Amino acid sequence: MPGENPPRAGWAVSGGHDDSDITGSATTGGGLKKRVGTRVAGFLATSALASPLTLFAAHAEPSIAQKAGLSVSAVEVIQLAMFVGVMGAALVSAIFLIRERARTSAQNVELRARIADVNAALQRSEALLNLRDQRIIVWASENKKPELIGTLPLESGAPEDRAAFLAFGRWLMPRSAAALENAVAGLREKAKPFDLVIESQAGAPLEVHGRKSAAHVLVRFVSLSETQRSQARLKIENQRLAADYDTMIGLFDALPMPAWLRAADGRLKWVNRAYAGAVEAPNAETAVREAKEFLGGQAREQIAEQHRSHPVFEQTLSTVIDGDRRVFAVTDFAGSDGSAGLACDTSATETIRGEYERTVRSHADTLDQLNTAVAIFDTDEKLRFFNQAFQKLWGLDSGFLHSAPDNALLLDRLRSEGKIAEQPEWRRWKEGLLNAYRAVESQEHWWHLPDGKTIRVVANPQPKGGVTWVFENLTEKMDLESRYQTAVRVQGETLDNLAEGVAVFGPDGRLRLSNPAFVALWGLSQDVVKPNVHVSAIRDLSDQRAVDSPWGGFVAAITGFDDERRERHGQTELKNGTVLSYAVIPLPNGQVMMTFVDVTDSVNVERALKDKNEALQKSDQLKNEFVQHVSYELRSPLTNIIGFTELLSLPTTGPLSPKQREYVEHVSSSSSVLLTIVNDILDLATVDAGIMQLDISEVSVDRTIQAAAELVADRLEEHAIKLKIDAAAAPKSFHGDETRVRQILYNLLSNAANYAPEASTITLACRHLEQGVEFSVHDDGPGMPPDLLDSVFRRFEPRTNGGRRRGAGLGLSIVKSFVELHGGSVRIETGKDQGTTVICTFPDAPSGVRAAAE
């Protein structure tokens, strides 16, 4: 119609129709909104295309309306076409929206039902989680702080407070808390699930389950029913028993005493490490598998026999361990399913007991040999021991003494037989004497016997009760005192007549006694040398008579401190030519004795001997120089002889007849022997000259022994002698001169080969000592007589007691010289028909390389 705008009205209707549906659809979700928007866009596109097509139709066919005779204008046709297009699009859109709305409503109903089901399941889960029989700890992966859900009953002993509950050690048993902590750590760090039965401090068992999901870590504590609690307690008890069993097994395995478990049929089920070591098994499993028995068959039969009547076997048995027989206190218990045993080594205890018994017997034997009478009474005042001196002193028969009489009865018998003096109040005197059994300190009494003897009686209380009585007969001592006085007078007369001068000074430096010889030797006046004269006065006079007076030292020794009062000896010469030998000897009570002897004649003889000795030393030096020079001069021609002998032996020199070859071999062997002797002489000459230096380095023991053995191998093979090397206890190396050590071992082996019987064995041994290394060579030869040991290390003194070869007698001399250069020592152990062993000891590290013959 003119003046209206249908397309706009059509859009308005369409837009008003769709708003509520689209808005309602938007509440159902993003997917529905997307589908509605897509279809509305399609509708708009269709409406937009309809108007141009209608306009085109109106312009292209104007004659159609004209032919029909209708008076319709082109504008009206376009408007009608547009209206029809819009109405069609609106109708299609309305139908589509109605269908989508119905579908959205159905989806909303389904989603509401699902939400209701989820809410119901959530409520059921919360109800289950909040029951008072379980509690859950939840760790979220993004939150390390745990969350607690649910509760446990009060009788479980679990606290309600969150912090207190998470402190497991406060409300769980220590073993359960430790196990739970370890399990939770393994769950959170390594995702290891666990199922435990724990016990609270209230005694209630709880089940704990740990699981880990993708986002959470859950630990659930579950309270158990009465039946489950009984089972859980049994499980906990089983765990405790298993832990206790492991602890006991660990204890037995750590004990140094062999322990074992046996099955009912007697087979070994388990042994500890001490058992395995005792039976020389590498470990306990091998000992069980191979059924290695610790005790012998007879001992095991004895144990089995006693188990038939009594479950416990306790007895001391012996067995062999490491080749030694030892004594063990064996305890073996037999149960219904097997037996268990333990053996304690009592060998040391038995040794100590035997040593104690021997000590007691030795103590008794010692007391029995004393001249002092000794009697020992126990806490009941019974006689338990007496020596022969006691029986001899009182003259009592042994039968009475061995009947263990008490002390009071013994005193009464001595009184009745008149062997002790009668006392005015006998009972009180005896009680006072027997108070020694209740005393702490020793008591001393003096008895004057009717036969004139004087006895000193000492009562010494023992720590564990009883008294040791010592009866010392002092009669002879008193006699000795009188004799001593007589002896002193005799001694004075003796000193006065001695040719040796004697003077004794007290600690105050004053003269106590002297003899006339002292005054005469020093040319002193008798008026000056009187008792109580001070040593300084004598020193002033003596200094005038001596060339180099020693009296300053004498005064220090007499009046000085203890470190200066020491024994000293020396000589001094007087101005008149007399030579005095003196000795200063400290005496008890701070006194000092000085003795002087005229040795003028001896000194003159000594001086003459010293001059002769110097002449001998010079001649010995000339001898050494001559030997060294001759040895060097001999070496050059010997080298030529050996060289030309070897040339004659070569095929290129020309053929030799058998006799000539034999002569050449004799010349070669004799030249080698002579060269060895010359080299030995040179070595000894070098040592004597003090110019030999050791080349100290790391000496390999095995290599040195092998090299020495190879050098002597031909000689040993010639006489079918075997060489046994024992270096199991030897060190790998030590510091020394390897060449000289090899030469020492070669000389020892050569010496042993010279005296070892045919087809015998020579033993070369080496072992490590605390301060060094020891080499020893033993042969089964005739041994050395004692008189030969003094000269065995002397030079040019070969032995003739059964040796195959007579040498120059330098081998052992070289050995001794080289060993002593290393700071070591050589000794020989030998005896008739016992063979000979030469032992050389070297220090691990010599203090320094030193020259020979220092």
Side-chain angles (χ1 to χ4, degrees):
M1 296 179 62
E4 295 178 355
N5 196 349
R8 292 173 60 90
W11 276 108
V13 172
S14 177
H17 178 74
D18 293 338
D19 286 342
S20 61
D21 290 344
I22 293 173
T23 303
S25 301
T27 61
T28 63
L32 181 58
K33 184 185 293 185
K34 183 177 181 181
R35 290 196 300 272
V36 172
T38 303
R39 293 180 181 181
V40 169
F43 159 72
L44 294 177
T46 305
S47 300
L49 290 173
S51 296
L53 290 173
T54 305
L55 182 61
F56 173 77
H59 286 282
E61 299 292 339
S63 61
I64 297 176
Q66 294 175 0
K67 289 180 180 181
L70 297 175
S71 58
V72 181
S73 65
V75 175
E76 291 176 347
V77 173
I78 292 171
Q79 291 178 349
L80 178 61
M82 291 178 63
F83 177 75
V84 172
V86 169
M87 290 301 293
L91 181 61
V92 172
S93 298
I95 294 171
F96 172 75
L97 289 174
I98 291 170
R99 292 182 63 186
E100 287 297 326
R101 186 173 183 178
R103 184 180 300 170
T104 301
S105 298
Q107 289 179 350
N108 287 339
V109 171
E110 183 179 356
L111 290 175
R112 290 191 187 97
R114 289 183 180 178
I115 291 172
D117 292 340
V118 171
N119 288 334
L122 178 61
Q123 292 175 358
R124 288 195 302 272
S125 299
E126 289 180 350
L128 291 174
L129 291 176
N130 289 319
L131 291 176
R132 294 188 62 82
D133 61 351
Q134 65 178 352
R135 198 167 195 182
I136 302 175
I137 305 175
V138 181
W139 284 273
S141 59
E142 68 277 0
N143 185 9
K144 297 298 182 181
K145 188 174 182 181
E147 179 182 357
L148 269 66
I149 304 172
T151 59
L152 291 170
L154 295 176
E155 58 270 16
S156 66
E160 290 291 335
D161 182 67
R162 177 180 180 278
F165 183 83
L166 292 176
F168 301 136
R170 296 184 180 179
W171 61 279
L172 291 177
M173 298 298 289
R175 184 178 298 172
S176 298
L180 181 58
E181 292 284 358
N182 293 334
V184 170
L187 176 65
R188 297 185 64 186
E189 296 173 3
K190 301 179 182 179
K192 293 176 60 176
F194 66 87
D195 297 286
L196 295 176
V197 176
I198 61 175
E199 184 180 9
S200 68
Q201 295 183 1
L206 299 172
E207 282 189 356
V208 184
H209 307 282
R211 300 292 185 272
K212 186 173 183 180
S213 63
H216 298 84
V217 176
L218 304 172
V219 177
R220 185 172 66 142
F221 295 78
V222 181
S223 179
L224 305 178
S225 63
E226 190 62 33
T227 302
Q228 292 174 329
R229 288 181 183 178
S230 299
Q231 295 177 352
R233 288 192 183 95
L234 291 176
K235 187 174 182 180
I236 292 173
E237 186 65 24
N238 181 56
Q239 293 175 353
R240 185 181 298 113
L241 291 175
D244 292 342
Y245 174 80
D246 293 339
T247 302
M248 294 300 294
I249 288 296
L251 172 63
F252 280 116
D253 195 49
L255 287 176
M257 299 177 286
W260 61 88
L261 294 176
R262 296 183 183 275
D265 57 357
R267 291 181 297 102
L268 286 173
K269 292 197 304 183
W270 175 89
V271 297
N272 64 351
R273 287 180 293 178
Y275 185 104
V279 299
E280 299 181 357
N283 50 55
E285 292 76 11
T286 303
V288 173
R289 184 173 61 253
E290 297 180 1
K292 289 183 174 291
E293 293 293 346
F294 172 70
L295 298 173
Q298 186 176 359
R300 297 198 304 275
E301 292 176 1
Q302 186 178 353
I303 294 173
E305 181 65 26
Q306 183 165 343
H307 280 332
R308 295 188 181 95
S309 58
H310 196 273
V312 179
F313 173 86
E314 289 182 311
Q315 194 170 332
T316 300
L317 301 174
S318 63
T319 186
V320 177
I321 304 296
D322 294 333
D324 297 329
R325 181 162 293 278
R326 300 184 185 177
V327 179
F328 288 84
V330 178
T331 302
D332 196 276
F333 174 78
S336 57
D337 294 332
S339 63
L342 183 69
C344 179
D345 191 349
T346 60
S347 301
T349 305
E350 294 297 330
T351 302
I352 293 173
R353 180 182 291 110
E355 186 66 25
Y356 170 74
E357 293 175 354
R358 288 191 295 271
T359 302
V360 171
R361 288 195 299 269
S362 176
H363 179 67
D365 293 340
T366 302
L367 292 179
D368 205 37
Q369 300 299 321
L370 292 178
N371 292 325
T372 302
V374 178
I376 301 176
F377 291 80
D378 60 13
T379 55
D380 297 329
E381 301 183 14
K382 299 287 187 181
L383 180 63
R384 294 304 178 193
F385 172 80
F386 64 92
N387 62 355
Q388 293 181 4
F390 179 83
Q391 183 179 3
K392 182 179 179 181
L393 174 65
W394 300 115
L396 300 173
D397 62 274
S398 60
F400 171 73
L401 295 176
H402 284 101
S403 65
D406 60 15
N407 207 338
L409 178 61
L410 180 63
L411 292 174
D412 290 336
R413 178 159 181 174
L414 293 176
R415 177 195 179 193
S416 63
E417 294 183 359
K419 294 179 179 179
I420 58 177
E422 188 67 39
Q423 302 295 328
E425 296 184 11
W426 173 257
R427 186 181 301 275
R428 181 177 297 178
W429 180 84
K430 185 171 66 173
E431 289 178 355
L433 197 64
L434 298 179
N435 281 334
Y437 289 94
R438 294 174 291 278
V440 178
E441 300 294 335
S442 299
Q443 297 181 2
E444 183 175 332
H445 307 276
W446 291 81
W447 292 0
H448 300 282
L449 304 185
D451 59 0
K453 295 178 181 178
T454 301
I455 305 296
R456 177 174 172 263
V457 181
V458 178
N460 186 22
Q462 298 178 6
K464 295 184 178 180
V467 174
T468 299
W469 295 89
V470 179
F471 302 88
E472 185 179 2
N473 189 353
L474 298 181
T475 307
E476 294 183 2
K477 181 179 179 181
M478 294 179 177
D479 293 339
L480 287 175
E481 288 181 356
S482 63
R483 294 176 186 174
Y484 171 74
Q485 298 298 330
T486 304
V488 168
R489 290 193 296 270
V490 173
Q491 182 181 13
E493 294 293 333
T494 304
L495 287 175
D496 290 344
N497 292 280
L498 283 178
E500 182 179 3
V502 178
V504 178
F505 293 86
D508 56 355
R510 297 190 177 276
L511 183 66
R512 291 289 185 266
L513 64 89
S514 63
N515 64 349
F518 171 73
V519 177
L521 290 174
W522 283 98
L524 301 175
S525 172
Q526 190 69 41
D527 296 334
V528 176
V529 183
K530 293 181 178 180
N532 292 325
V533 67
H534 200 269
V535 64
S536 58
I538 300 176
R539 179 193 60 187
D540 294 339
L541 295 174
S542 300
D543 286 346
Q544 300 174 8
R545 292 167 172 78
V547 176
D548 186 9
S549 178
W551 278 91
F554 294 166
V555 173
I558 294 171
T559 62
F561 295 101
D562 291 340
D563 56 345
E564 296 177 345
R565 298 181 69 256
R566 62 182 181 274
E567 185 173 345
R568 63 181 67 183
H569 299 270
Q571 287 184 356
T572 184
E573 185 174 356
L574 304 183
K575 293 180 178 179
N576 59 7
T578 303
V579 178
L580 299 180
S581 173
Y582 64 83
V584 180
I585 303 171
L587 299 178
N589 299 325
Q591 299 184 90
V592 174
M593 180 178 70
M594 295 188 300
T595 62
F596 300 90
V597 179
D598 187 352
V599 293
T600 305
D601 296 337
S602 301
V603 169
N604 293 333
V605 172
E606 182 182 352
R607 289 172 179 171
L609 291 175
K610 187 176 295 185
D611 293 339
K612 291 182 180 180
N613 185 54
E614 291 178 356
L616 289 174
Q617 288 180 350
K618 290 181 179 179
S619 65
D620 186 66
Q621 182 178 0
L622 291 174
K623 180 204 69 174
N624 290 335
E625 293 175 354
F626 171 76
V627 170
Q628 185 176 2
H629 177 73
V630 170
S631 299
Y632 276 113
E633 293 299 327
L634 286 175
R635 178 178 286 181
S636 297
L638 273 177
T639 304
N640 294 333
I641 292 172
I642 293 172
F644 285 116
T645 303
E646 292 177 353
L647 287 175
L648 289 174
S649 302
L650 295 176
T652 57
T653 308
L656 297 176
S657 65
K659 201 66 176 178
Q660 291 173 337
R661 186 171 298 278
E662 181 182 354
Y663 291 161
V664 169
E665 290 177 355
H666 281 300
V667 171
S668 177
S669 61
S670 299
S671 300
S672 298
V673 172
L674 183 58
L675 182 60
T676 302
I677 295 173
V678 170
N679 288 334
D680 291 343
I681 294 174
L682 279 176
D683 288 337
L684 290 175
T686 306
V687 171
D688 293 339
I691 59 176
M692 175 171 284
Q693 296 285 343
L694 295 179
D695 183 12
I696 301 298
S697 62
E698 195 81 12
V699 179
S700 173
V701 173
D702 292 340
R703 184 174 65 241
T704 304
I705 291 176
Q706 188 63 33
E710 290 176 355
L711 291 175
V712 80
D714 293 340
R715 187 169 178 183
L716 296 178
E717 184 178 357
E718 179 182 354
H719 300 285
I721 299 175
K722 296 181 179 179
L723 176 61
K724 177 183 177 183
I725 297 176
D726 181 8
K732 291 184 179 179
S733 62
F734 69 99
H735 288 83
D737 188 329
E738 184 170 355
T739 301
R740 299 307 178 187
V741 173
R742 183 168 62 248
Q743 188 174 354
I744 290 169
L745 296 180
Y746 168 74
N747 284 349
L748 291 178
L749 291 174
S750 298
N751 182 73
N754 192 33
Y755 293 94
E758 296 282 344
S760 63
T761 300
I762 295 175
T763 302
L764 171 59
C766 179
R767 65 189 182 106
H768 185 264
L769 302 179
E770 183 178 356
Q771 299 296 333
V773 181
E774 178 184 279
F775 290 92
S776 63
V777 175
H778 173 80
D779 65 79
D780 296 327
M784 299 182 187
D787 56 343
L788 190 61
L789 288 176
D790 297 334
S791 61
V792 69
F793 291 113
R794 295 178 188 170
R795 302 172 189 177
F796 305 106
E797 291 192 14
R799 290 179 288 165
T800 58
N801 57 327
R804 295 184 180 87
R805 301 181 182 179
R806 181 179 177 86
L810 299 177
L812 292 181
S813 299
I814 292 176
V815 168
K816 187 174 187 298
S817 298
F818 287 169
V819 171
E820 290 178 350
L821 279 177
H822 283 80
S825 61
V826 182
R827 69 181 191 274
I828 297 178
E829 296 178 357
T830 184
K832 186 175 181 180
D833 300 328
Q834 295 180 2
T836 301
T837 303
V838 184
I839 302 171
C840 301
T841 304
F842 296 86
D844 274 333
S847 58
V849 180
R850 65 184 182 90
E854 290 182 350

